[in-house]
Amino acid sequence: MKQRNTSRNSRLFSVAKKYLPGGVNSPVRAFKSVGRDPLFIAKAKGEYIYDVDGNKYIDYVGSWGPMILGHAHPEVVAAIKNAASNGTSFGGPTENEVEMAKLVRKMMPSVEVVRMVNSGTEATMSAVRLARAFTGREKIVKFAGCYHGHFDSFLIKAGSGATTFGTPDSPGVPKELAAKTLVAEFNDIASVKTLFADNPGEIAAVITEPVVGNMGVVLPRDNFLTSLLEIAHADGALLILDEVMTGFRLARGGAQEIYNIKPDLTTFGKIIGGGLPVGAYGGREDIMRMVSPDGPVYQAGTLSGNPLAMAAGLTQLRILYKQKSVYKQLDRLGARLEKGILKNLEDLGMQYQLNRLGSMFTLFFTERKVVDFNSALTSDTSKFTRYFSEMLQRGIYLPPSQFEAAFISSSHTEKDIDKTVAANYESLKATI
Ligand code: HOZ
């Protein structure tokens, strides 16, 4: 196989490293764990991404989730252009913010009142502050391997880049604050019960990704989420679902629609911004009314509800709301990919694990079923590294870490999927 020319990418990266930590503005994209230089992206359209050397790839990163309709969707781009021509930021309310709140509530009825912010991290840290204020308690429960952004309280046994780079507990987090984060095992209700038994009346909230994306894709076992809600409520604590990845992706109403669960608070990011920087948190009205200026819990932002971000996010959400069939289409593509990869694994006599729900998937290089952080960590990351590079050479752009989710968009076609399955066969073979 002819190697792709990526010389301009590499030249840019060597300059970037002088001026930016690791040469990037967010760690995982540095490709450090896959032992090669990152691609510098020149442009993207539909399901394709193009690097600065002119190489074209089928993209399964999708900006880590937001691009559910594919890149540069014409309606989203038009909405951004139109909004920009009317001014890029006012620091005052706009009509689209009201429309956005109404649509979010329609699509996800548990979100009675919502506050827009600028990132998923902002959303989760604000939701936790609110839960602490509402309950008058300070401790929170999170799950090993879940990642809720880079706020201090969450950088404890954190997944995503924190795990990829071997720093699940980041230095710089005050010990006193870290001690208020209790860690349970995903899919292990007994571990949650133990924490509540040991800390009665002290836990403000349990926060979880309902379907984990940040240790790779890990699905909740039957009743896991409803049991969490029951246990939390029995002790007077809240349940926060972090739907930054899953919200509006797995279904119109997110993972909470699929698993039929009504959390107290939900956090969002990614899809809700249509590819622009956005986050949001929302939920029960009695809790959300504590947020300033209705209540005393302070949280603010000059760019919150930014008109460009609202235009992009609202346009994307409206398309998803109107075209119900999009989720069926995504699931069909996901199922086709799953079938193809499972056949490849069987033909090659490999017992690796493919976890998938709808348009989110991860191939784990382990023979153990991946149901939690410990089982995810049994993956052979050196095999993943080889596989990742082989796929890239064949024009398939996957997340550059074993501990991330890959995403399919509605721009992907059956032909793309079949090409990916063929590349998967050859790439897996190369790891033997
Ligand atoms: N937080 C993203 C993955 N869960 C990674 C973003 C990046 O490093 O670019």
Side-chain angles (χ1 to χ4, degrees):
M1 184 187 33
K2 194 167 164 266
Q3 294 292 302
R4 287 167 180 245
N5 171 19
T6 51
S7 54
R8 188 166 156 71
N9 284 284
S10 297
R11 276 201 307 280
L12 262 177
F13 190 47
S14 63
V15 180
K17 280 190 283 190
K18 281 192 199 147
Y19 299 102
L20 304 166
V24 289
N25 282 310
S26 189
V28 187
R29 67 181 69 165
F31 278 35
K32 205 170 165 184
S33 74
V34 287
R36 51 180 301 148
D37 293 346
L39 302 182
F40 280 71
I41 310 302
K43 62 176 183 178
K45 178 76 189 151
E47 72 275 43
Y48 297 116
I49 204 149
Y50 301 81
D51 69 17
V52 290
D53 282 296
N55 296 300
K56 178 181 177 185
Y57 304 87
I58 301 176
D59 178 26
Y60 290 98
V61 176
S63 185
W64 303 94
M67 312 322 299
I68 190 166
L69 302 175
H71 293 280
H73 187 281
E75 286 179 51
V76 177
V77 172
I80 296 169
K81 281 186 180 161
N82 181 45
S85 67
N86 289 322
T88 53
S89 180
F90 315 122
T94 62
E95 195 171 336
N96 268 354
E97 292 167 76
V98 185
E99 292 305 313
M100 174 67 98
K102 276 162 53 184
L103 185 56
V104 167
R105 181 169 165 158
K106 215 186 276 180
M107 292 174 84
M108 209 176 275
S110 76
V111 185
E112 294 166 355
V113 177
V114 66
R115 165 62 60 87
M116 302 304 302
V117 291
N118 296 293
S119 69
T121 293
E122 238 189 275
T124 51
M125 74 178 196
S126 307
V128 160
R129 180 184 305 136
L130 179 58
R132 285 177 165 148
F134 184 79
T135 56
R137 302 167 175 189
E138 292 191 343
K139 292 183 181 168
I140 58 164
V141 172
K142 79 173 279 288
F143 292 92
C146 280
Y147 176 77
H148 306 288
H150 57 86
F151 175 49
D152 287 351
S153 291
F154 301 129
L155 291 179
I156 292 135
K157 281 218 179 175
S160 187
T163 289
T164 304
F165 300 123
T167 51
D169 307 287
S170 174
V173 174
K175 276 199 298 291
E176 296 74 11
L177 193 58
K180 297 195 186 298
T181 300
L182 313 174
V183 181
E185 298 302 322
F186 194 74
N187 273 329
D188 179 358
I189 276 298
S191 71
V192 182
K193 284 187 178 157
T194 304
L195 292 178
F196 273 94
D198 292 348
N199 300 271
E202 291 181 53
I203 296 169
V206 177
I207 182 166
T208 189
E209 300 175 72
V211 173
V212 187
N214 283 299
M215 46 177 131
V217 172
V218 177
L219 275 60
R221 285 195 174 117
D222 285 350
N223 300 328
F224 176 67
L225 298 172
T226 38
S227 301
L228 279 188
L229 186 72
E230 281 162 22
I231 294 166
H233 282 186
D235 189 71
L238 305 180
L239 178 68
I240 305 172
L241 287 190
D242 179 348
E243 295 233 39
V244 167
M245 275 192 194
T246 54
F248 314 112
R249 169 163 288 279
L250 295 179
R252 282 205 312 192
Q256 54 193 267
E257 178 184 309
I258 294 177
Y259 292 97
N260 192 20
I261 178 164
K262 198 171 174 211
D264 300 294
L265 293 172
T266 304
T267 57
F268 304 100
K270 306 196 189 272
I271 284 181
I272 201 172
L276 270 73
V278 169
Y281 64 105
R284 270 169 48 190
E285 174 153 16
D286 58 330
I287 304 173
M288 289 302 294
R289 292 289 172 214
M290 284 193 76
V291 177
S292 184
D294 272 347
V297 180
Y298 203 73
Q299 181 273 306
T302 297
L303 291 170
S304 297
N306 172 266
L308 264 59
M310 290 302 97
L314 190 55
T315 305
Q316 181 156 276
L317 279 196
R318 277 181 176 147
I319 294 171
L320 293 171
Y321 180 68
K322 280 194 220 132
Q323 284 178 23
K324 239 182 151 181
S325 62
V326 84
Y327 294 102
K328 286 212 176 96
Q329 179 200 349
L330 289 168
D331 190 49
R332 260 199 312 275
L333 291 169
R336 189 179 181 96
L337 184 69
E338 180 175 342
K339 198 171 156 208
I341 294 178
L342 290 181
K343 171 139 190 352
N344 289 345
L345 289 171
E346 201 187 319
D347 290 352
L348 291 163
M350 292 169 159
Q351 260 115 50
Y352 299 145
Q353 310 297 316
L354 183 74
N355 284 1
R356 177 188 75 89
L357 188 61
S359 56
M360 291 172 68
F361 69 93
T362 301
L363 174 61
F364 290 97
F365 286 77
T366 175
E367 296 190 354
R368 233 171 103 176
K369 288 243 164 299
V370 178
V371 295
D372 56 17
F373 194 39
N374 285 330
S375 43
L377 290 178
T378 63
S379 296
D380 184 335
T381 50
S382 60
K383 286 230 158 86
F384 172 82
T385 294
R386 179 77 201 271
Y387 170 76
F388 171 83
S389 283
E390 293 285 335
M391 289 294 272
L392 201 66
Q393 284 307 321
R394 292 175 171 83
I396 313 293
Y397 186 64
L398 291 169
S401 162
Q402 174 70 92
F403 307 108
E404 297 287 354
F407 299 96
I408 301 170
S409 79
S410 62
S411 291
H412 286 85
T413 61
E414 290 190 351
K415 211 167 141 201
D416 294 323
I417 298 294
D418 294 348
K419 206 171 156 194
T420 307
V421 169
N424 167 269
Y425 183 86
E426 294 304 325
S427 302
L428 281 174
K429 214 162 98 182
T431 68
I432 295 172

